[in-house]
Amino acid sequence: MAMTSLAAQLQVIKSFVPGDSQPLKRPFTRPSILYDPKEAADIDVDTILSIALQGLEVLIDTDERFRNYKNDLFSHKSRELDRDLLGIEENNRINASIGSYLRLLSGYFQLPSALKTLEYLIRRYNVHIYNFEELILCTLPYHDTHAFVRIVQLIDTRNSKWKFLDGVKTTGAPPPRKVIMQQCIRDKGVLEAICDHATPSKKNQPSRFVISFCTAVVVEALGSITTVEDDVVKRILPFVVSGLQPGTKGGSDHKAGALMIVGLLANKVALSPKLVKSLIRSISELAREDAKESTDLQWFRLSLLALINLVQMQNFDMFPKKALDILKDIRDLAVILLGLSKEFNIDKFLHMLFEVLVDCSSSDELCHLALVSIIETVPVKDEVFHVVSKVLLSCLKLSQKIGDPGSSESGSWAKRILVVVNKHYPSELRAAIRKFLEDVKGESTYEILGKVLDTNLDMSLGISDSKFWLALHHPKAVVRCATLSRLNSSGILKIKAVDSQSLVTIEDAILRQLHDDDLTVVRAALSLDELSDMISSSDLLKELQYVLKRCIDILMSSSSDKNSLATDVAILCLENANLKFGHDDDYLKTFAAMLFPLLLILPKTQRLNLKALQLAKEVKWPLYQNLAVAPSAEMKLQSGTLSSINMKTVTSLAEAFLMHPEEHMAWLNKINNDFQLLKTHLLFMLMQSFIMMINGQ
């Protein structure tokens, strides 16, 4: 800060006058950073200027900007300059020139040439008196050098904020950075001065040394403060904001420092929502710039990581729309988020981002594409309910507008999102739909949503695929069952099976109902006409085995008399399997294996066993050819009758087994072990029968 007051002028006079009562004469010493004070007194100003010009030429070769000062501060006419005799305007001009020179010189202070030019500024311009603050800030990044100590020893800090440096005069030792950092904590004016000096302006661009020093001091100070006050934030904010500007003149050092400081602030202090949103926007712009210009994605990744940290650590109502407009343009956003999600918890960031992406997807195609890309790329299972709920709520609001003849709005955007979610998170989507329909009152909600999702589509079938899909996810089993009963008459699934934008396909719809928690829905699905034509053979066989095992587990583990539903479903499994695989050479062996553990009649599974015996008799499988005709599955048999039928079954199996033992044994060993207990019981009885037959022979 320039000092042209009477006190400053008196300070200059004192440096040349040994005593107040003595006349002016040649001083015994002169202030100097190159020479001993007594030696400096014997060197005239022309010599000092000559030395300074030599140093200036070296600096010009290093940085052309130094040339601007050759005919200004270091002109030959400056030898005669006496600042005490100059007016305010001329002194202000000189102060401005000195200030800009010292800022530029700060980047090259470690060069010997810099000290040569500084020697002249001290001799001719008394910068250690008139411009001592600029001189301190110029050299402070080099606080650990002896040159800094010599400069401080020339300065009278008076009662300024720099008085803490007076200890350097006494010890003669360079102060460690910790001392400066602690002073920044005690005196916020020192912190502000360091930050201001490192903040770029139109006329001055700080060197990387100044920026790095400022970053280090701020980071260490923030790390040492338990509670960061708003006053501290305000003083360092200009330095931070300037570093977050795309294409900042401070380069990567300033950008890295700003991101680092934002991270510390986000973790240590609750920033105002307005400031948070402003920082989010600035970092978003930085990330977009990095994504465009970087040869690799490392800087983009760091910017995005700083943004995520800020969002996750601060509380605010909504992700800024302006920041979203910036991020949605970034092509590799989803890929980088995927990488970060593997290393860090970014759940809150994704939640906030999805919140605004869903809101904007109906009117902004880029937002829609960004949302879909993230869902397809990043693991977001925990966000499915949030996304689906917002999409469906938007559809309900949209339904009111669609009823207006003048409205052209469509729910196709929402349907495309649900299609993607259904592809990647089917079970989570199903749970989200059910929960949503439970929470939103109204029996016809799913019909309204179906109408919105399929707006402008052909509705000649009388039922939309979206309505059908939503009904299959309805929380009430009776609605799901009724929907399945309409399947054959509507024909909706067959028509939509090849539509990539459909929410439901013939195979997917039925397969998911076979896994329904309610067996009445499973029964309705198994009762569909031509079920075997709707699902591929391999998938159908796998699902029938799954349902059959589920039903048998229920029957075997329960003592309740209310097991008729499980029995009905199990019998439907066998009937569908027989219809599809009973005469199919490719799957006959597997179907026969499904029947084998069920051929022995047990009290808990009697109806199912009798049905299995009937079907086994019809199947053209060598081991089953001699089975006796079983009673109807609807008959109630006494224990004696059960034992008789079991003995006949075991005997016929044993006789057939002995005809081709090796072939049948190989087949038995390959039977699925889902019903190992039942299988083992039957095999034990077969062994007994074998022994009896052998002994009888």
Side-chain angles (χ1 to χ4, degrees):
M1 181 180 291
M3 188 176 72
T4 57
S5 65
L6 179 60
Q9 295 179 30
L10 291 174
Q11 182 67 26
V12 176
I13 294 173
K14 282 185 178 181
S15 65
F16 290 97
V17 180
D20 292 338
S21 60
Q22 297 180 6
L24 290 174
K25 63 179 181 178
R26 181 180 177 183
F28 294 106
T29 62
R30 284 188 180 276
S32 173
I33 57 174
L34 293 180
Y35 309 103
D36 178 88
K38 292 183 178 180
E39 181 183 359
D42 295 329
I43 303 176
D44 58 35
V45 68
D46 289 332
T47 302
I48 298 297
L49 176 59
S50 177
I51 294 172
L53 288 173
Q54 292 175 8
L56 186 64
E57 289 299 329
V58 175
L59 293 175
I60 292 173
D61 291 339
T62 306
D63 189 330
E64 186 63 26
R65 288 177 295 175
F66 281 103
R67 188 178 299 278
N68 297 328
Y69 301 94
K70 185 173 183 179
N71 295 320
D72 182 17
L73 295 178
F74 300 95
S75 64
H76 283 282
K77 67 177 182 179
S78 66
R79 294 174 301 168
E80 309 300 328
L81 184 143
D82 188 343
R83 297 191 67 176
D84 296 328
L85 302 179
L86 298 177
I88 294 177
E89 290 186 5
E90 183 62 18
N91 261 310
N92 287 340
R93 186 197 68 78
I94 292 175
N95 284 330
S97 185
I98 289 174
S100 65
Y101 181 80
L102 291 177
R103 279 179 174 267
L104 179 59
L105 189 69
S106 184
Y108 305 92
F109 184 75
Q110 77 278 18
L111 299 178
S113 299
L115 297 180
K116 292 180 179 179
T117 62
L118 202 53
E119 179 76 9
Y120 183 71
L121 296 183
I122 292 171
R123 171 67 69 92
R124 187 70 282 164
Y125 294 96
N126 295 314
V127 293
H128 59 297
I129 298 174
Y130 286 102
N131 309 92
F132 78 89
E133 184 162 3
E134 288 97 328
L135 183 58
I136 289 175
L137 289 169
C138 167
T139 58
L140 198 58
Y142 309 90
H143 59 88
D144 55 351
T145 65
H146 289 289
F148 175 76
V149 173
R150 296 199 64 176
I151 287 174
V152 170
Q153 289 174 334
L154 297 179
I155 296 173
D156 181 0
T157 58
R158 303 174 191 84
N159 290 320
S160 71
K161 55 179 167 286
W162 305 106
K163 190 171 182 59
F164 75 97
L165 292 174
D166 285 352
V168 175
K169 298 179 181 181
T170 304
T171 64
R177 191 166 65 214
K178 183 178 181 180
V179 171
I180 301 171
M181 178 271 291
Q182 290 174 339
Q183 186 63 25
C184 287
I185 296 174
R186 287 190 291 265
D187 186 348
K188 305 304 185 298
V190 175
L191 177 65
E192 184 176 13
I194 293 175
C195 289
D196 287 347
H197 188 68
T199 302
S201 63
K202 292 182 178 180
K203 295 182 179 181
N204 298 301
Q205 175 55 51
S207 69
R208 61 177 302 184
F209 296 96
V210 172
I211 291 172
S212 298
F213 170 72
C214 178
T215 300
V217 170
V218 172
V219 168
E220 290 175 6
L222 291 177
S224 301
I225 300 174
T226 304
T227 302
V228 179
E229 299 174 352
D230 290 342
D231 186 43
V232 173
V233 177
K234 291 178 182 178
R235 293 175 189 266
I236 65 177
L237 197 57
F239 173 73
V240 173
V241 172
S242 62
L244 297 179
Q245 301 304 310
T248 178
K249 295 180 179 180
S252 59
D253 294 292
H254 198 176
K255 177 167 64 176
L259 292 175
M260 192 182 307
I261 294 170
V262 169
L264 276 172
L265 289 175
N267 283 274
K268 300 209 69 168
V269 61
L271 304 173
S272 69
K274 183 178 180 180
L275 176 56
V276 171
K277 292 181 179 181
S278 176
L279 291 174
I280 288 175
R281 180 180 178 182
S282 295
I283 299 176
S284 298
E285 291 177 341
L286 198 63
R288 180 175 61 182
E289 192 74 15
D290 291 333
K292 288 180 180 179
E293 297 185 358
S294 296
T295 55
D296 57 42
L297 296 176
Q298 188 62 26
W299 269 113
F300 173 41
R301 184 180 184 276
L302 291 175
S303 299
L304 199 57
L305 188 58
L307 175 63
I308 291 171
N309 180 67
L310 178 62
V311 172
Q312 303 234 131
M313 299 306 299
Q314 295 294 308
N315 292 319
F316 56 102
D317 53 354
M318 183 173 289
F319 196 89
K321 178 62 169 60
K322 292 182 179 179
L324 179 67
D325 290 338
I326 296 168
L327 292 179
K328 71 184 182 183
D329 293 332
I330 300 176
R331 183 182 58 184
D332 297 312
L333 179 63
V335 176
I336 296 298
L337 287 176
L338 172 62
L340 293 176
S341 69
K342 295 178 180 179
E343 301 179 53
F344 310 99
N345 181 346
I346 63 172
D347 291 348
K348 182 182 176 182
F349 174 80
L350 290 174
H351 184 84
M352 298 290 291
L353 187 62
F354 280 151
E355 185 84 16
V356 67
L357 278 174
V358 174
D359 286 342
C360 297
S361 287
S362 61
S363 58
D364 191 319
E365 183 63 19
L366 286 178
C367 285
H368 179 271
L369 292 175
L371 175 60
V372 168
S373 177
I374 294 173
I375 293 174
E376 290 182 325
T377 307
V378 184
V380 291
K381 181 173 66 174
D382 294 337
E383 286 298 315
V384 169
F385 178 77
H386 176 231
V387 172
V388 172
S389 297
K390 284 191 67 69
V391 169
L392 296 181
L393 279 173
S394 297
C395 289
L396 287 180
K397 294 178 181 178
L398 184 60
S399 67
Q400 301 173 356
K401 297 181 180 180
I402 290 179
D404 182 357
S407 175
S408 61
E409 295 192 57
S410 166
S412 59
W413 65 273
K415 186 173 183 178
R416 296 201 303 272
I417 294 173
L418 294 177
V419 167
V420 174
V421 176
N422 191 38
K423 177 181 178 182
H424 295 276
Y425 304 99
S427 59
E428 288 78 13
L429 176 61
R430 181 175 182 175
I433 293 291
R434 289 193 181 183
K435 183 67 169 61
F436 180 82
L437 293 177
E438 284 177 356
D439 294 342
V440 179
K441 305 302 180 182
E443 290 295 325
S444 61
T445 299
Y446 72 95
E447 295 181 353
I448 297 173
L449 291 173
K451 181 180 179 181
V452 173
L453 292 172
D454 288 321
T455 304
N456 300 331
L457 296 183
D458 180 15
M459 299 294 288
S460 59
L461 294 171
I463 181 172
S464 69
D465 69 324
S466 297
K467 179 181 176 182
F468 179 80
W469 175 78
L470 288 165
L472 288 178
H473 290 78
H474 199 281
K476 293 184 178 180
V478 64
V479 175
R480 302 199 296 276
C481 289
T483 304
L484 286 169
S485 69
R486 299 180 61 187
L487 176 62
N488 293 331
S489 59
S490 70
I492 184 67
L493 293 180
K494 291 183 179 180
I495 291 177
K496 295 295 181 179
V498 296
D499 185 0
S500 62
Q501 290 304 313
S502 173
L503 282 166
V504 66
T505 63
I506 180 67
E507 187 168 347
D508 180 71
I510 306 305
L511 287 177
R512 298 202 183 285
Q513 304 320 302
L514 292 177
H515 284 259
D516 198 288
D517 295 336
D518 195 306
L519 281 180
T520 60
V521 179
V522 179
R523 180 175 61 185
L526 290 171
S527 300
L528 290 171
D529 294 340
E530 301 179 356
L531 175 66
S532 59
D533 295 332
M534 299 179 186
I535 305 176
S536 65
S537 296
S538 59
D539 285 339
L540 179 60
L541 180 60
K542 177 182 176 182
E543 297 306 322
L544 290 176
Q545 289 175 321
Y546 163 78
V547 175
L548 181 62
K549 180 182 183 303
R550 176 183 172 187
C551 292
I552 292 177
D553 287 343
I554 293 173
L555 293 170
M556 296 299 292
S557 62
S558 175
S559 59
S560 173
D561 296 331
K562 300 178 181 180
N563 288 330
S564 60
L565 178 58
T567 301
D568 291 342
V569 174
I571 289 175
L572 281 172
C573 283
L574 294 182
E575 289 176 343
N576 277 286
N578 181 55
L579 182 64
K580 182 70 174 179
F581 310 114
H583 304 283
D584 188 331
D585 293 339
D586 293 333
Y587 292 95
L588 181 58
K589 181 184 297 187
T590 305
F591 177 52
M594 288 176 64
L595 294 172
F596 183 77
L598 304 175
L599 297 180
L600 195 64
I601 301 177
L602 301 175
K604 290 184 177 182
T605 58
Q606 176 180 311
R607 279 206 299 135
L608 178 60
N609 298 140
L610 291 173
K611 185 64 179 182
L613 282 169
Q614 289 178 356
L615 295 177
K617 182 63 180 176
E618 299 173 8
V619 171
K620 294 181 179 180
W621 186 248
L623 193 62
Y624 301 157
Q625 292 304 300
N626 297 324
L627 287 174
V629 177
S632 170
E634 304 304 321
M635 294 178 62
K636 285 286 186 178
L637 303 179
Q638 300 299 319
S639 59
T641 306
L642 291 177
S643 299
S644 176
I645 295 174
N646 284 340
M647 286 304 299
K648 290 180 181 180
T649 299
V650 170
T651 301
S652 63
L653 289 175
E655 290 174 349
F657 190 90
L658 289 174
M659 294 177 63
H660 303 283
E662 293 182 0
E663 179 181 339
H664 292 312
M665 183 58 72
W667 172 75
L668 285 172
N669 288 333
K670 293 182 179 179
I671 291 180
N672 193 295
N673 290 330
D674 285 344
F675 312 117
Q676 186 63 39
L677 183 61
L678 300 177
K679 173 186 169 185
T680 301
H681 192 183
L682 180 53
L683 288 175
F684 178 74
M685 294 186 67
L686 280 175
M687 289 298 298
Q688 288 183 322
S689 182
F690 294 155
I691 294 172
M692 291 176 62
M693 288 180 180
I694 294 172
N695 290 336
Q697 293 177 349

